[in-house]
Structure formats: structure tokens, C-alpha cells
Amino acid sequence: MAKSALITGITGQDGSYLAEFLLSRGYKVYGLVRRSSSINNERISHLTGDITLLPGDLLDQTSLASAIRQSQPDEVYNLAAQSFVATSWNQPELTGQFTALGVTRLLEAIRTENPKIRFYQASSSEMFGSTPPPQNEQTPFHPRSPYGVSKLYGHFATINYRESYGMFACSGILFNHESPRRGLEFVTRKVSDAVAQIKLGLLDKMTIGNLDARRDWGFAGDYVRAMWMMLQQDRPDDYVIATGVSKSVRELVDTAFRVVDLDYRDYVTVDPSLLRPAEVDYLCGDSSYAKEKLNWSPDTDFEQLVQMMVEEDLERHRRHSYAREAGVR
Ligand code: NAP
Ligand code: G4F
């Protein structure tokens, strides 16, 4: 019989790629969506008819239990969160409610409805914070934002349910992963979108924050494969997922402008208001455990990722420009 999966955060970047991946493997896919006054299904609109959406919110325990009862899943992927680090300083309590306590609510719903369901928790390299690289499963945590602190709670809640109740609960410690579906507030997409607009003459300049921060950036499509692999093992465990290559924000900006044959120094200025109260300076993951146990490694490198993102934003802005011109005529 076909397996079924419930994805929280299905409307987000990772949720959309994971839904596609699970459908391609014959899963029946359910997605939890929270109520909003306007429909926010842009990333999954192409999957309408193939997936079933269920109402629910990480803030509401009853809705989580109800979604589990309705979907009867073999696997639950908890991707929902307040995921933007910068916002977590402005909304620290809400971030804790979604990103930390939301994990406990979902684990409790699973434990009481059917503790045999396999559970994936979207943990983050942001938990390593100020601990220097390379970071792997044995590296001590020192988060630097309310988001990182909340993710650390979710990580240990997952381990605790595994140890307390024998549940098949895994924590994937994923380093930054990006795509053309990334939210425009994250630095990679902010840059690819601005580069496209500058190239097409729609924008003159862009502002940026800390150019010296270093991240290990991979492609989201490669990373959702690792999530699924974790839940197919004989026993639950935690895994670091990363490329092992770290680049600075300056290198990101330089690479993106080079895709369109421009020099970033002519267009980019630093805006101190974009600096964070505390920064994570240097992330570079060591995913050799995932390579050994899951046989997982990424297919897409940094240059391919940046090129893909800039080209898709160019194409999107060209389409919109043509549509605007056609509308004027
Ligand atoms: P994303 O694009 O920001 O998506 C977040 C999702 O969570 C959206 O579907 C959002 O729904 C949903 N959500 C937020 N609050 C909710 C609530 N109270 N109840 C139900 N749903 C809620 O994030 P992403 O990049 O796909 O990341 C997926 C997960 O991986 C997140 O937990 C993130 O923290 C974690 N993570 C991401 C990365 C990365 O580099 N991308 C790395 C490590 C860990 P709406 O559409 O309604 O807003
Ligand atoms: O793209 P970012 O906002 O991602 P950040 O903070 O690393 O968090 C992302 O990755 C985490 C995994 O480590 C996830 F858990 C989390 O959910 C999210 O997906 O910022 C990356 C770096 C930071 O050092 C930031 O200070 O870029 C720097 N940066 C410099 N200028 C900027 C900007 N970030 C943003 N968003 N906007 C800027 O203008």
C-alpha cells in the first residue's frame, strides 16, 4: 500500500520541494496550512489535485491532533516555523511559540494519536551559532538568536520523545539551503532578485548588511531528499546536512553579479541597520555521517545554485515587464 505523509510548512520553500519529492515516490501527501485572509499557495499551486490540504496551526494542539487523525500518516515532516532569523529579535515570544513549543505540540499530538508515526524535525545550523567550524553532530551548540534558541528547544524535544517514548523521531540539522523559491527576505534571494532587476534596468542599487558572514549554502531540492532518507533507516538518529563549502556574503554578491557580467562594487552599499544584534559569523558543515549512513551528498554546488537563482529571477522579471508593457498598449 502507498505510504502517506503529513507535511507542516507545505507552503514554504522546503515544503514545496518535499511534496514534489514524496509524490514522485508514490506517497499520498497531506499538508497542514494555517488560515490567512488571502491564499498563500504560490509555491504549491502546481500540485493542486495531487495533495490534500488540512487546516491547522502550530499554535493550536487540537488542530494538530485533528490533522493527524484525518491523514493517518506513516511519516510527519515538521517544516513549519517562524524561519527568518532577523524577525526573531522583533518577535521573540512568537518565534518561541511557533518554532520551539510548536514542536512539543506536534510531538504530543503524534504520541497520543499514534506513536508509531515516524517524525522529522527541521533543525538548523543556526543552533551552532558562535561555535567555530567545521560543525558536525558532536559540535557543542551556542545559538545567537531567539530563532536559534527556539530551534535548539525543538531539537532536544525531538531527542527527548525518542528517549522517553521510543518514538522514531529524527532531527535534521540542515545548513542554509536555497532555491528560486526562497523567500525574498533571505540574503541569497534578495541578492538574486536585485541583480536581475539591476540587469534589466528596473533598479539602480541594492543595500546589504554584513558582507563578512560566512554560510554553507546548498540547494533545497538536494536537502529534502536527505529528510526522507532519515525516516527510511532502521533506527532514528540526528544528521548534519551540508555541502562542506563555506562562502562569505561578499562572495555570494560577487558571484551573483558576475552571472550578468556586472561588478557588484558599482551597485552595492552597506546599510548598518541591516546588521543583527548578534551574528553567526562562520558556518561550514561536516556531513560525513550522513554520507556514511544515508549515502547522501549534494548534487548542486554554490556556483550552480547562484546561477540558477539569478536566471530564474531574470526570467520572472522579464515576464512581468512584458506583461506590464502588453497591458499598457
Ligand atoms: P519557509 O519558506 O519560511 O516556510 C515556513 C513554513 O512554515 C510556511 O509554510 C509557513 O506557512 C509555515 N508556518 C509558519 N508558522 C506556522 C504556524 N504557526 N502554523 C503552521 N504553519 C506555519 O521556511 P523553509 O526555508 O522552507 O524552511 C523549512 C523549515 O526548515 C523551517 O522550520 C526552517 O526554520 C528550517 N530550516 C531552514 C533552513 C533553510 O536554509 N531553508 C535551514 C535549516 C532549517 P505560511 O505560508 O502560512 O507562512
Ligand atoms: O539569508 P539569511 O537571512 O539566513 P540565516 O540567518 O543564515 O538563516 C537561514 O539559515 C538558517 C540555517 O543556518 C535557517 F535555520 C534559517 O531558517 C534561515 O533559513 O542570512 C544569512 C547571512 C547572515 O549572516 C546575515 O547577517 O547573510 C547576512 N546578511 C547580510 N546582509 C543578510 C543581509 N541577510 C539578510 N536576510 N538580508 C541582508 O540584507
Side-chain angles (χ1 to χ4, degrees), residues 83-85 124-126 147 174-176 178 182 185-188 190 207-211 213 215 217 249 274 276 279-280 283:
S83 72
F84 188 41
V85 173
S124 167
S125 51
E126 189 71 12
Y147 169 85
L174 272 53
F175 283 61
N176 299 52
E178 319 291 317
R182 187 59 143 152
E185 67 274 36
F186 297 94
V187 74
T188 52
K190 175 177 170 175
T207 56
I208 198 96
N210 182 2
L211 282 167
R215 291 290 182 275
W217 279 295
V249 173
L274 294 170
R276 296 176 176 183
E279 181 58 279
V280 171
L283 291 175

PDB file of all heavy atoms in Angstrom, residues 83-85 124-126 147 174-176 178 182 185-188 190 207-211 213 215 217 249 274 276 279-280 283, ligand 2:
ATOM      1  N   SER A  83      10.750  31.257  10.442  1.00  0.00           N
ATOM      2  CA  SER A  83      12.065  30.802   9.994  1.00  0.00           C
ATOM      3  C   SER A  83      13.055  31.918   9.674  1.00  0.00           C
ATOM      4  O   SER A  83      14.191  31.629   9.308  1.00  0.00           O
ATOM      5  CB  SER A  83      11.891  29.925   8.743  1.00  0.00           C
ATOM      6  OG  SER A  83      11.548  30.735   7.644  1.00  0.00           O
ATOM      7  N   PHE A  84      12.625  33.183   9.812  1.00  0.00           N
ATOM      8  CA  PHE A  84      13.524  34.284   9.453  1.00  0.00           C
ATOM      9  C   PHE A  84      14.231  34.790  10.716  1.00  0.00           C
ATOM     10  O   PHE A  84      13.591  35.349  11.617  1.00  0.00           O
ATOM     11  CB  PHE A  84      12.744  35.407   8.755  1.00  0.00           C
ATOM     12  CG  PHE A  84      13.615  36.492   8.188  1.00  0.00           C
ATOM     13  CD1 PHE A  84      14.803  36.190   7.530  1.00  0.00           C
ATOM     14  CD2 PHE A  84      13.256  37.823   8.307  1.00  0.00           C
ATOM     15  CE1 PHE A  84      15.619  37.183   7.008  1.00  0.00           C
ATOM     16  CE2 PHE A  84      14.051  38.827   7.789  1.00  0.00           C
ATOM     17  CZ  PHE A  84      15.233  38.502   7.137  1.00  0.00           C
ATOM     18  N   VAL A  85      15.543  34.600  10.751  1.00  0.00           N
ATOM     19  CA  VAL A  85      16.329  34.887  11.960  1.00  0.00           C
ATOM     20  C   VAL A  85      16.163  36.341  12.392  1.00  0.00           C
ATOM     21  O   VAL A  85      15.945  36.631  13.574  1.00  0.00           O
ATOM     22  CB  VAL A  85      17.818  34.545  11.704  1.00  0.00           C
ATOM     23  CG1 VAL A  85      18.681  34.993  12.874  1.00  0.00           C
ATOM     24  CG2 VAL A  85      17.980  33.045  11.452  1.00  0.00           C
ATOM     25  N   SER A 124      18.380  23.204  12.739  1.00  0.00           N
ATOM     26  CA  SER A 124      19.115  24.211  11.954  1.00  0.00           C
ATOM     27  C   SER A 124      20.553  24.387  12.410  1.00  0.00           C
ATOM     28  O   SER A 124      20.854  24.331  13.606  1.00  0.00           O
ATOM     29  CB  SER A 124      18.385  25.553  12.097  1.00  0.00           C
ATOM     30  OG  SER A 124      19.187  26.609  11.634  1.00  0.00           O
ATOM     31  N   SER A 125      21.417  24.694  11.454  1.00  0.00           N
ATOM     32  CA  SER A 125      22.813  25.032  11.766  1.00  0.00           C
ATOM     33  C   SER A 125      22.900  26.306  12.600  1.00  0.00           C
ATOM     34  O   SER A 125      23.940  26.579  13.216  1.00  0.00           O
ATOM     35  CB  SER A 125      23.615  25.200  10.478  1.00  0.00           C
ATOM     36  OG  SER A 125      22.966  26.078   9.588  1.00  0.00           O
ATOM     37  N   GLU A 126      21.816  27.085  12.638  1.00  0.00           N
ATOM     38  CA  GLU A 126      21.777  28.287  13.469  1.00  0.00           C
ATOM     39  C   GLU A 126      21.966  27.907  14.951  1.00  0.00           C
ATOM     40  O   GLU A 126      22.389  28.737  15.756  1.00  0.00           O
ATOM     41  CB  GLU A 126      20.445  29.002  13.232  1.00  0.00           C
ATOM     42  CG  GLU A 126      20.283  30.375  13.823  1.00  0.00           C
ATOM     43  CD  GLU A 126      21.113  31.464  13.162  1.00  0.00           C
ATOM     44  OE1 GLU A 126      21.680  31.224  12.077  1.00  0.00           O
ATOM     45  OE2 GLU A 126      21.204  32.556  13.748  1.00  0.00           O
ATOM     46  N   TYR A 147      15.642  32.785  17.386  1.00  0.00           N
ATOM     47  CA  TYR A 147      15.342  31.680  16.461  1.00  0.00           C
ATOM     48  C   TYR A 147      16.219  30.470  16.779  1.00  0.00           C
ATOM     49  O   TYR A 147      15.737  29.341  16.905  1.00  0.00           O
ATOM     50  CB  TYR A 147      15.563  32.135  15.009  1.00  0.00           C
ATOM     51  CG  TYR A 147      15.536  31.008  14.006  1.00  0.00           C
ATOM     52  CD1 TYR A 147      14.341  30.544  13.477  1.00  0.00           C
ATOM     53  CD2 TYR A 147      16.719  30.397  13.573  1.00  0.00           C
ATOM     54  CE1 TYR A 147      14.309  29.499  12.560  1.00  0.00           C
ATOM     55  CE2 TYR A 147      16.706  29.355  12.652  1.00  0.00           C
ATOM     56  CZ  TYR A 147      15.497  28.908  12.153  1.00  0.00           C
ATOM     57  OH  TYR A 147      15.471  27.876  11.246  1.00  0.00           O
ATOM     58  N   LEU A 174      20.070  21.017   9.353  1.00  0.00           N
ATOM     59  CA  LEU A 174      20.353  21.433   7.982  1.00  0.00           C
ATOM     60  C   LEU A 174      21.017  22.801   7.951  1.00  0.00           C
ATOM     61  O   LEU A 174      20.587  23.733   8.649  1.00  0.00           O
ATOM     62  CB  LEU A 174      19.062  21.442   7.154  1.00  0.00           C
ATOM     63  CG  LEU A 174      18.723  20.097   6.486  1.00  0.00           C
ATOM     64  CD1 LEU A 174      18.711  18.932   7.464  1.00  0.00           C
ATOM     65  CD2 LEU A 174      17.424  20.175   5.707  1.00  0.00           C
ATOM     66  N   PHE A 175      22.068  22.901   7.152  1.00  0.00           N
ATOM     67  CA  PHE A 175      22.706  24.184   6.891  1.00  0.00           C
ATOM     68  C   PHE A 175      21.878  24.915   5.832  1.00  0.00           C
ATOM     69  O   PHE A 175      20.961  24.337   5.247  1.00  0.00           O
ATOM     70  CB  PHE A 175      24.169  23.961   6.473  1.00  0.00           C
ATOM     71  CG  PHE A 175      25.054  23.652   7.663  1.00  0.00           C
ATOM     72  CD1 PHE A 175      24.831  22.533   8.451  1.00  0.00           C
ATOM     73  CD2 PHE A 175      26.094  24.499   8.020  1.00  0.00           C
ATOM     74  CE1 PHE A 175      25.617  22.268   9.576  1.00  0.00           C
ATOM     75  CE2 PHE A 175      26.892  24.241   9.127  1.00  0.00           C
ATOM     76  CZ  PHE A 175      26.651  23.127   9.913  1.00  0.00           C
ATOM     77  N   ASN A 176      22.200  26.190   5.616  1.00  0.00           N
ATOM     78  CA  ASN A 176      21.377  27.026   4.719  1.00  0.00           C
ATOM     79  C   ASN A 176      21.172  26.346   3.373  1.00  0.00           C
ATOM     80  O   ASN A 176      22.139  25.900   2.750  1.00  0.00           O
ATOM     81  CB  ASN A 176      22.061  28.376   4.483  1.00  0.00           C
ATOM     82  CG  ASN A 176      22.257  29.176   5.754  1.00  0.00           C
ATOM     83  OD1 ASN A 176      22.797  28.662   6.727  1.00  0.00           O
ATOM     84  ND2 ASN A 176      21.842  30.413   5.745  1.00  0.00           N
ATOM     85  N   GLU A 178      18.845  26.898  -0.335  1.00  0.00           N
ATOM     86  CA  GLU A 178      18.234  27.990  -1.077  1.00  0.00           C
ATOM     87  C   GLU A 178      17.675  27.464  -2.388  1.00  0.00           C
ATOM     88  O   GLU A 178      17.933  26.320  -2.773  1.00  0.00           O
ATOM     89  CB  GLU A 178      19.322  29.051  -1.395  1.00  0.00           C
ATOM     90  CG  GLU A 178      20.285  29.321  -0.253  1.00  0.00           C
ATOM     91  CD  GLU A 178      19.642  30.023   0.935  1.00  0.00           C
ATOM     92  OE1 GLU A 178      18.864  30.962   0.706  1.00  0.00           O
ATOM     93  OE2 GLU A 178      19.902  29.645   2.093  1.00  0.00           O
ATOM     94  N   ARG A 182      13.015  30.480  -2.651  1.00  0.00           N
ATOM     95  CA  ARG A 182      13.384  31.057  -1.362  1.00  0.00           C
ATOM     96  C   ARG A 182      12.634  32.367  -1.154  1.00  0.00           C
ATOM     97  O   ARG A 182      12.426  33.143  -2.107  1.00  0.00           O
ATOM     98  CB  ARG A 182      14.897  31.306  -1.394  1.00  0.00           C
ATOM     99  CG  ARG A 182      15.528  31.749  -0.101  1.00  0.00           C
ATOM    100  CD  ARG A 182      15.327  30.778   1.005  1.00  0.00           C
ATOM    101  NE  ARG A 182      16.490  30.676   1.876  1.00  0.00           N
ATOM    102  CZ  ARG A 182      16.418  30.340   3.153  1.00  0.00           C
ATOM    103  NH1 ARG A 182      15.252  30.074   3.717  1.00  0.00           N
ATOM    104  NH2 ARG A 182      17.516  30.223   3.876  1.00  0.00           N
ATOM    105  N   GLU A 185      13.168  37.729   1.597  1.00  0.00           N
ATOM    106  CA  GLU A 185      13.845  38.373   2.724  1.00  0.00           C
ATOM    107  C   GLU A 185      15.196  37.726   3.039  1.00  0.00           C
ATOM    108  O   GLU A 185      16.026  38.315   3.725  1.00  0.00           O
ATOM    109  CB  GLU A 185      12.931  38.369   3.962  1.00  0.00           C
ATOM    110  CG  GLU A 185      12.629  37.003   4.579  1.00  0.00           C
ATOM    111  CD  GLU A 185      11.441  36.288   3.942  1.00  0.00           C
ATOM    112  OE1 GLU A 185      11.261  36.403   2.714  1.00  0.00           O
ATOM    113  OE2 GLU A 185      10.728  35.575   4.673  1.00  0.00           O
ATOM    114  N   PHE A 186      15.447  36.520   2.552  1.00  0.00           N
ATOM    115  CA  PHE A 186      16.717  35.843   2.837  1.00  0.00           C
ATOM    116  C   PHE A 186      17.788  36.360   1.873  1.00  0.00           C
ATOM    117  O   PHE A 186      17.487  36.735   0.731  1.00  0.00           O
ATOM    118  CB  PHE A 186      16.548  34.322   2.707  1.00  0.00           C
ATOM    119  CG  PHE A 186      15.580  33.768   3.710  1.00  0.00           C
ATOM    120  CD1 PHE A 186      14.245  33.600   3.391  1.00  0.00           C
ATOM    121  CD2 PHE A 186      15.984  33.454   4.997  1.00  0.00           C
ATOM    122  CE1 PHE A 186      13.336  33.119   4.322  1.00  0.00           C
ATOM    123  CE2 PHE A 186      15.086  32.971   5.939  1.00  0.00           C
ATOM    124  CZ  PHE A 186      13.751  32.806   5.599  1.00  0.00           C
ATOM    125  N   VAL A 187      19.052  36.334   2.317  1.00  0.00           N
ATOM    126  CA  VAL A 187      20.063  37.098   1.588  1.00  0.00           C
ATOM    127  C   VAL A 187      20.286  36.591   0.158  1.00  0.00           C
ATOM    128  O   VAL A 187      20.475  37.388  -0.760  1.00  0.00           O
ATOM    129  CB  VAL A 187      21.385  37.186   2.394  1.00  0.00           C
ATOM    130  CG1 VAL A 187      22.153  35.870   2.381  1.00  0.00           C
ATOM    131  CG2 VAL A 187      22.247  38.323   1.891  1.00  0.00           C
ATOM    132  N   THR A 188      20.266  35.273  -0.046  1.00  0.00           N
ATOM    133  CA  THR A 188      20.529  34.764  -1.407  1.00  0.00           C
ATOM    134  C   THR A 188      19.484  35.269  -2.398  1.00  0.00           C
ATOM    135  O   THR A 188      19.807  35.723  -3.494  1.00  0.00           O
ATOM    136  CB  THR A 188      20.501  33.224  -1.439  1.00  0.00           C
ATOM    137  OG1 THR A 188      19.283  32.785  -0.838  1.00  0.00           O
ATOM    138  CG2 THR A 188      21.703  32.636  -0.716  1.00  0.00           C
ATOM    139  N   LYS A 190      17.348  37.783  -1.923  1.00  0.00           N
ATOM    140  CA  LYS A 190      17.371  39.243  -2.001  1.00  0.00           C
ATOM    141  C   LYS A 190      18.393  39.665  -3.055  1.00  0.00           C
ATOM    142  O   LYS A 190      18.138  40.545  -3.879  1.00  0.00           O
ATOM    143  CB  LYS A 190      17.744  39.819  -0.621  1.00  0.00           C
ATOM    144  CG  LYS A 190      17.910  41.324  -0.603  1.00  0.00           C
ATOM    145  CD  LYS A 190      18.202  41.826   0.809  1.00  0.00           C
ATOM    146  CE  LYS A 190      18.599  43.298   0.774  1.00  0.00           C
ATOM    147  NZ  LYS A 190      18.791  43.870   2.119  1.00  0.00           N
ATOM    148  N   THR A 207      21.021  47.566  -1.099  1.00  0.00           N
ATOM    149  CA  THR A 207      21.711  47.668   0.192  1.00  0.00           C
ATOM    150  C   THR A 207      21.824  46.272   0.792  1.00  0.00           C
ATOM    151  O   THR A 207      21.018  45.387   0.518  1.00  0.00           O
ATOM    152  CB  THR A 207      20.936  48.570   1.177  1.00  0.00           C
ATOM    153  OG1 THR A 207      19.615  48.062   1.309  1.00  0.00           O
ATOM    154  CG2 THR A 207      20.913  50.008   0.705  1.00  0.00           C
ATOM    155  N   ILE A 208      22.847  46.127   1.627  1.00  0.00           N
ATOM    156  CA  ILE A 208      23.128  44.823   2.229  1.00  0.00           C
ATOM    157  C   ILE A 208      23.627  45.042   3.652  1.00  0.00           C
ATOM    158  O   ILE A 208      24.028  46.151   4.000  1.00  0.00           O
ATOM    159  CB  ILE A 208      24.166  44.072   1.342  1.00  0.00           C
ATOM    160  CG1 ILE A 208      24.207  42.578   1.627  1.00  0.00           C
ATOM    161  CG2 ILE A 208      25.567  44.665   1.482  1.00  0.00           C
ATOM    162  CD1 ILE A 208      23.394  41.766   0.712  1.00  0.00           C
ATOM    163  N   GLY A 209      23.613  43.964   4.466  1.00  0.00           N
ATOM    164  CA  GLY A 209      24.117  44.053   5.839  1.00  0.00           C
ATOM    165  C   GLY A 209      25.552  43.556   5.924  1.00  0.00           C
ATOM    166  O   GLY A 209      26.446  44.063   5.230  1.00  0.00           O
ATOM    167  N   ASN A 210      25.764  42.551   6.729  1.00  0.00           N
ATOM    168  CA  ASN A 210      27.119  42.054   7.000  1.00  0.00           C
ATOM    169  C   ASN A 210      27.671  41.256   5.808  1.00  0.00           C
ATOM    170  O   ASN A 210      27.225  40.151   5.527  1.00  0.00           O
ATOM    171  CB  ASN A 210      27.050  41.167   8.259  1.00  0.00           C
ATOM    172  CG  ASN A 210      28.403  40.642   8.670  1.00  0.00           C
ATOM    173  OD1 ASN A 210      29.426  40.945   8.054  1.00  0.00           O
ATOM    174  ND2 ASN A 210      28.408  39.842   9.727  1.00  0.00           N
ATOM    175  N   LEU A 211      28.683  41.819   5.156  1.00  0.00           N
ATOM    176  CA  LEU A 211      29.262  41.145   3.971  1.00  0.00           C
ATOM    177  C   LEU A 211      30.250  40.050   4.360  1.00  0.00           C
ATOM    178  O   LEU A 211      30.649  39.238   3.520  1.00  0.00           O
ATOM    179  CB  LEU A 211      29.981  42.173   3.091  1.00  0.00           C
ATOM    180  CG  LEU A 211      29.097  43.045   2.197  1.00  0.00           C
ATOM    181  CD1 LEU A 211      29.892  44.226   1.638  1.00  0.00           C
ATOM    182  CD2 LEU A 211      28.493  42.237   1.061  1.00  0.00           C
ATOM    183  N   ALA A 213      29.912  37.743   6.933  1.00  0.00           N
ATOM    184  CA  ALA A 213      29.360  36.484   7.483  1.00  0.00           C
ATOM    185  C   ALA A 213      29.551  35.380   6.448  1.00  0.00           C
ATOM    186  O   ALA A 213      29.453  35.613   5.235  1.00  0.00           O
ATOM    187  CB  ALA A 213      27.880  36.666   7.803  1.00  0.00           C
ATOM    188  N   ARG A 215      28.471  31.427   5.170  1.00  0.00           N
ATOM    189  CA  ARG A 215      27.445  30.382   5.245  1.00  0.00           C
ATOM    190  C   ARG A 215      27.819  29.236   4.320  1.00  0.00           C
ATOM    191  O   ARG A 215      28.514  29.420   3.310  1.00  0.00           O
ATOM    192  CB  ARG A 215      26.062  30.918   4.817  1.00  0.00           C
ATOM    193  CG  ARG A 215      25.438  31.912   5.786  1.00  0.00           C
ATOM    194  CD  ARG A 215      25.015  31.235   7.087  1.00  0.00           C
ATOM    195  NE  ARG A 215      24.374  32.150   8.018  1.00  0.00           N
ATOM    196  CZ  ARG A 215      25.035  32.926   8.882  1.00  0.00           C
ATOM    197  NH1 ARG A 215      26.358  32.907   8.936  1.00  0.00           N
ATOM    198  NH2 ARG A 215      24.359  33.709   9.713  1.00  0.00           N
ATOM    199  N   TRP A 217      26.074  27.184   1.848  1.00  0.00           N
ATOM    200  CA  TRP A 217      24.815  27.266   1.100  1.00  0.00           C
ATOM    201  C   TRP A 217      24.658  26.089   0.139  1.00  0.00           C
ATOM    202  O   TRP A 217      25.518  25.881  -0.732  1.00  0.00           O
ATOM    203  CB  TRP A 217      24.771  28.549   0.258  1.00  0.00           C
ATOM    204  CG  TRP A 217      24.373  29.795   0.986  1.00  0.00           C
ATOM    205  CD1 TRP A 217      23.165  30.060   1.560  1.00  0.00           C
ATOM    206  CD2 TRP A 217      25.173  30.974   1.194  1.00  0.00           C
ATOM    207  NE1 TRP A 217      23.163  31.325   2.111  1.00  0.00           N
ATOM    208  CE2 TRP A 217      24.369  31.905   1.901  1.00  0.00           C
ATOM    209  CE3 TRP A 217      26.483  31.334   0.865  1.00  0.00           C
ATOM    210  CZ2 TRP A 217      24.833  33.167   2.266  1.00  0.00           C
ATOM    211  CZ3 TRP A 217      26.942  32.591   1.223  1.00  0.00           C
ATOM    212  CH2 TRP A 217      26.124  33.484   1.927  1.00  0.00           C
ATOM    213  N   VAL A 249      29.144  36.385   2.454  1.00  0.00           N
ATOM    214  CA  VAL A 249      28.076  37.118   1.760  1.00  0.00           C
ATOM    215  C   VAL A 249      28.703  37.926   0.613  1.00  0.00           C
ATOM    216  O   VAL A 249      28.126  38.041  -0.477  1.00  0.00           O
ATOM    217  CB  VAL A 249      27.308  38.018   2.749  1.00  0.00           C
ATOM    218  CG1 VAL A 249      26.310  38.909   2.034  1.00  0.00           C
ATOM    219  CG2 VAL A 249      26.598  37.161   3.808  1.00  0.00           C
ATOM    220  N   LEU A 274      20.885  46.923   8.748  1.00  0.00           N
ATOM    221  CA  LEU A 274      20.640  45.508   8.424  1.00  0.00           C
ATOM    222  C   LEU A 274      21.536  44.562   9.230  1.00  0.00           C
ATOM    223  O   LEU A 274      21.427  43.339   9.106  1.00  0.00           O
ATOM    224  CB  LEU A 274      20.850  45.267   6.926  1.00  0.00           C
ATOM    225  CG  LEU A 274      19.834  45.969   6.005  1.00  0.00           C
ATOM    226  CD1 LEU A 274      20.262  45.870   4.552  1.00  0.00           C
ATOM    227  CD2 LEU A 274      18.451  45.369   6.194  1.00  0.00           C
ATOM    228  N   ARG A 276      22.777  42.531  12.497  1.00  0.00           N
ATOM    229  CA  ARG A 276      21.973  41.878  13.538  1.00  0.00           C
ATOM    230  C   ARG A 276      22.539  42.145  14.934  1.00  0.00           C
ATOM    231  O   ARG A 276      23.753  42.356  15.066  1.00  0.00           O
ATOM    232  CB  ARG A 276      21.915  40.376  13.252  1.00  0.00           C
ATOM    233  CG  ARG A 276      21.189  40.134  11.946  1.00  0.00           C
ATOM    234  CD  ARG A 276      21.164  38.693  11.514  1.00  0.00           C
ATOM    235  NE  ARG A 276      20.366  38.588  10.299  1.00  0.00           N
ATOM    236  CZ  ARG A 276      20.078  37.469   9.669  1.00  0.00           C
ATOM    237  NH1 ARG A 276      20.529  36.322  10.140  1.00  0.00           N
ATOM    238  NH2 ARG A 276      19.339  37.468   8.585  1.00  0.00           N
ATOM    239  N   GLU A 279      25.610  38.109  15.618  1.00  0.00           N
ATOM    240  CA  GLU A 279      25.767  37.455  14.304  1.00  0.00           C
ATOM    241  C   GLU A 279      26.300  36.032  14.473  1.00  0.00           C
ATOM    242  O   GLU A 279      26.996  35.719  15.456  1.00  0.00           O
ATOM    243  CB  GLU A 279      26.734  38.287  13.450  1.00  0.00           C
ATOM    244  CG  GLU A 279      27.007  37.794  12.045  1.00  0.00           C
ATOM    245  CD  GLU A 279      25.760  37.661  11.136  1.00  0.00           C
ATOM    246  OE1 GLU A 279      25.055  36.645  11.264  1.00  0.00           O
ATOM    247  OE2 GLU A 279      25.522  38.558  10.306  1.00  0.00           O
ATOM    248  N   VAL A 280      25.943  35.182  13.539  1.00  0.00           N
ATOM    249  CA  VAL A 280      26.598  33.881  13.388  1.00  0.00           C
ATOM    250  C   VAL A 280      27.645  34.089  12.298  1.00  0.00           C
ATOM    251  O   VAL A 280      27.304  34.285  11.127  1.00  0.00           O
ATOM    252  CB  VAL A 280      25.565  32.799  12.995  1.00  0.00           C
ATOM    253  CG1 VAL A 280      26.253  31.506  12.615  1.00  0.00           C
ATOM    254  CG2 VAL A 280      24.589  32.571  14.139  1.00  0.00           C
ATOM    255  N   LEU A 283      29.660  29.475   9.365  1.00  0.00           N
ATOM    256  CA  LEU A 283      29.085  28.125   9.327  1.00  0.00           C
ATOM    257  C   LEU A 283      29.712  27.340   8.184  1.00  0.00           C
ATOM    258  O   LEU A 283      29.807  27.837   7.053  1.00  0.00           O
ATOM    259  CB  LEU A 283      27.563  28.181   9.139  1.00  0.00           C
ATOM    260  CG  LEU A 283      26.744  28.736  10.310  1.00  0.00           C
ATOM    261  CD1 LEU A 283      25.259  28.840   9.934  1.00  0.00           C
ATOM    262  CD2 LEU A 283      26.918  27.885  11.564  1.00  0.00           C
TER     263      LEU A 283
HETATM  264  O1  G4F B   2      19.834  34.580   4.444  1.00  0.00           O
HETATM  265  P1  G4F B   2      19.825  34.832   5.903  1.00  0.00           P
HETATM  266  O2  G4F B   2      18.765  35.723   6.435  1.00  0.00           O
HETATM  267  O3  G4F B   2      19.845  33.412   6.598  1.00  0.00           O
HETATM  268  P2  G4F B   2      20.300  32.913   8.060  1.00  0.00           P
HETATM  269  O4  G4F B   2      20.174  33.987   9.067  1.00  0.00           O
HETATM  270  O5  G4F B   2      21.613  32.231   7.920  1.00  0.00           O
HETATM  271  O6  G4F B   2      19.154  31.841   8.371  1.00  0.00           O
HETATM  272  C1  G4F B   2      18.747  30.883   7.401  1.00  0.00           C
HETATM  273  O7  G4F B   2      19.546  29.725   7.547  1.00  0.00           O
HETATM  274  C2  G4F B   2      19.373  29.028   8.806  1.00  0.00           C
HETATM  275  C3  G4F B   2      20.328  27.849   8.763  1.00  0.00           C
HETATM  276  O8  G4F B   2      21.578  28.231   9.267  1.00  0.00           O
HETATM  277  C4  G4F B   2      17.926  28.619   8.907  1.00  0.00           C
HETATM  278  F1  G4F B   2      17.739  27.880  10.040  1.00  0.00           F
HETATM  279  C5  G4F B   2      17.039  29.835   8.908  1.00  0.00           C
HETATM  280  O9  G4F B   2      15.662  29.422   8.950  1.00  0.00           O
HETATM  281  C6  G4F B   2      17.279  30.593   7.599  1.00  0.00           C
HETATM  282  O10 G4F B   2      16.806  29.785   6.541  1.00  0.00           O
HETATM  283  O11 G4F B   2      21.224  35.498   6.337  1.00  0.00           O
HETATM  284  C7  G4F B   2      22.455  34.895   6.004  1.00  0.00           C
HETATM  285  C8  G4F B   2      23.601  35.826   6.357  1.00  0.00           C
HETATM  286  C9  G4F B   2      23.519  36.397   7.786  1.00  0.00           C
HETATM  287  O12 G4F B   2      24.811  36.374   8.340  1.00  0.00           O
HETATM  288  C10 G4F B   2      23.073  37.837   7.595  1.00  0.00           C
HETATM  289  O13 G4F B   2      23.536  38.731   8.604  1.00  0.00           O
HETATM  290  O14 G4F B   2      23.538  36.964   5.479  1.00  0.00           O
HETATM  291  C11 G4F B   2      23.739  38.133   6.249  1.00  0.00           C
HETATM  292  N1  G4F B   2      23.143  39.265   5.547  1.00  0.00           N
HETATM  293  C12 G4F B   2      23.844  40.351   5.099  1.00  0.00           C
HETATM  294  N2  G4F B   2      23.014  41.222   4.512  1.00  0.00           N
HETATM  295  C13 G4F B   2      21.862  39.456   5.253  1.00  0.00           C
HETATM  296  C14 G4F B   2      21.769  40.681   4.596  1.00  0.00           C
HETATM  297  N3  G4F B   2      20.775  38.659   5.483  1.00  0.00           N
HETATM  298  C15 G4F B   2      19.578  39.124   5.029  1.00  0.00           C
HETATM  299  N4  G4F B   2      18.493  38.356   5.221  1.00  0.00           N
HETATM  300  N5  G4F B   2      19.436  40.339   4.402  1.00  0.00           N
HETATM  301  C16 G4F B   2      20.505  41.162   4.153  1.00  0.00           C
HETATM  302  O15 G4F B   2      20.362  42.234   3.580  1.00  0.00           O
END
